[in-house]
Amino acid sequence: MSDLLDDILAAYGGRKAWEEARRISARQFFGGVLWEMKGHPGALNDVRVTVDLHREHTRQEPFFADRHYTNFTPDRVAVETGDGEVVEELLDPRASFAGHELTTPWTRLQLAYFSGYAMWTYTTEPISLTFPGVTTEEIDGWTEDGRKYRRLAVTYPESIATHTPHQILYVDEDGLIRRRDYTVDIAGRTPGAQYATAFTTVDGLVVATSRVIYSRDEHDRKVPEPVVVSIDLEDVTVG
């Protein structure tokens, strides 16, 4: 494990605190142009999201109907009811995105898959960076708007569903992850730059509560307009 990852874990409350917690839940608000582009304007805005901290699993509710919720894992995404009934499901969901570009519409299950892995990736950091098969390496630093950042290159194994296997995290002087660079492989490898702008501490864990995602140009600079996705969390709880 890199020294930078050690610093990140310490800044977010310490590895022990994250290992002892089981899940994080919050009221989730989504904005940005992506949802209308994908055929689901207003989707998953003002719902409850819950992520497991020791396996890749996300639940978001309600999902288009009262008492319907998503059940996401890397190999399966489903819509289920409060009684445990499976409304619809998709096995091997990533394969369903073959040939997709940025503007290709999504089905509801594809939406649930994307939002499931994205929210899990973001909200479980930094503990998910210690999972088996995840490798990290500190690379050259970066200066943006006069502020210097250390950078951590992360490689995820095939067993973890996320935007792309190789991503870069930008870490400020306090050890907080302020930016993440990636491509969205299921949307034509669209380049993205995500910024975390606000944090809260709940039961000893530091959690990012506001994120803004932009496109990224060939020089790894953000394209400020339009905002592709915004994410805000309220009423965060740790279980």
Side-chain angles (χ1 to χ4, degrees):
M1 187 167 65
S2 73
D3 291 341
L4 180 51
L5 180 52
D6 282 334
D7 292 344
I8 293 169
L9 285 162
Y12 280 75
R15 183 167 183 165
K16 183 174 184 292
W18 282 84
E19 289 178 340
E20 290 177 349
R22 296 178 299 165
R23 64 183 60 90
I24 293 174
S25 182
R27 190 176 175 187
Q28 164 193 292
F29 296 88
F30 275 171
V33 301
L34 180 69
W35 316 112
E36 183 170 2
M37 185 184 303
K38 291 300 186 179
H40 301 287
L44 291 172
N45 183 45
D46 195 2
V47 303
R48 195 78 188 174
V49 59
T50 302
V51 299
D52 288 4
L53 295 178
H54 301 290
R55 64 169 181 140
E56 190 171 9
H57 176 262
T58 305
R59 173 172 171 150
Q60 293 167 304
E61 57 189 323
F63 188 69
F64 290 96
D66 289 343
R67 293 178 55 79
H68 284 195
Y69 62 86
T70 66
N71 187 346
F72 158 82
T73 60
D75 298 325
R76 173 185 179 269
V77 63
V79 179
E80 300 176 1
T81 72
D83 298 324
E85 175 188 354
V86 176
V87 178
E88 54 181 335
E89 69 175 353
L90 180 62
L91 304 179
D92 191 15
R94 203 169 189 93
S96 72
F97 294 91
H100 275 223
E101 300 177 354
L102 177 60
T103 56
T104 306
W106 285 338
T107 67
R108 290 185 177 187
L109 286 172
Q110 288 173 327
L111 167 69
Y113 174 79
F114 170 80
S115 61
Y117 82 61
M119 292 305 295
W120 183 87
T121 299
Y122 306 155
T123 313
T124 61
E125 280 184 341
I127 195 61
S128 57
L129 300 175
T130 70
F131 278 20
V134 179
T135 62
T136 60
E137 178 185 9
E138 185 168 2
I139 60 174
D140 292 345
W142 177 267
T143 301
E144 184 170 349
D145 297 330
R147 193 171 184 179
K148 294 182 178 180
Y149 298 90
R150 297 169 71 185
R151 295 198 298 170
L152 189 71
V154 181
T155 301
Y156 295 93
E158 289 186 3
S159 58
I160 292 179
T162 186
H163 292 301
T164 194
H166 306 290
Q167 302 182 37
I168 297 177
L169 308 183
Y170 295 63
V171 183
D172 70 11
E173 64 275 11
D174 295 321
L176 299 176
I177 300 167
R178 289 290 186 170
R179 172 176 163 176
R180 145 185 259 109
D181 286 357
Y182 55 87
T183 61
V184 185
D185 290 354
I186 63 174
R189 294 189 55 79
T190 303
Q194 177 218 106
Y195 292 79
T197 59
F199 298 81
T200 190
T201 301
V202 181
D203 291 345
L205 305 188
V206 175
V207 179
T209 55
S210 186
R211 301 176 187 269
V212 185
I213 300 167
Y214 305 93
S215 294
R216 194 176 81 247
D217 68 17
E218 66 273 17
H219 303 293
D220 289 333
R221 302 290 181 179
K222 74 177 182 184
V223 178
E225 295 292 340
V227 171
V228 180
V229 173
S230 64
I231 304 169
D232 292 290
L233 301 181
E234 296 181 3
D235 303 329
V236 179
T237 62
V238 173

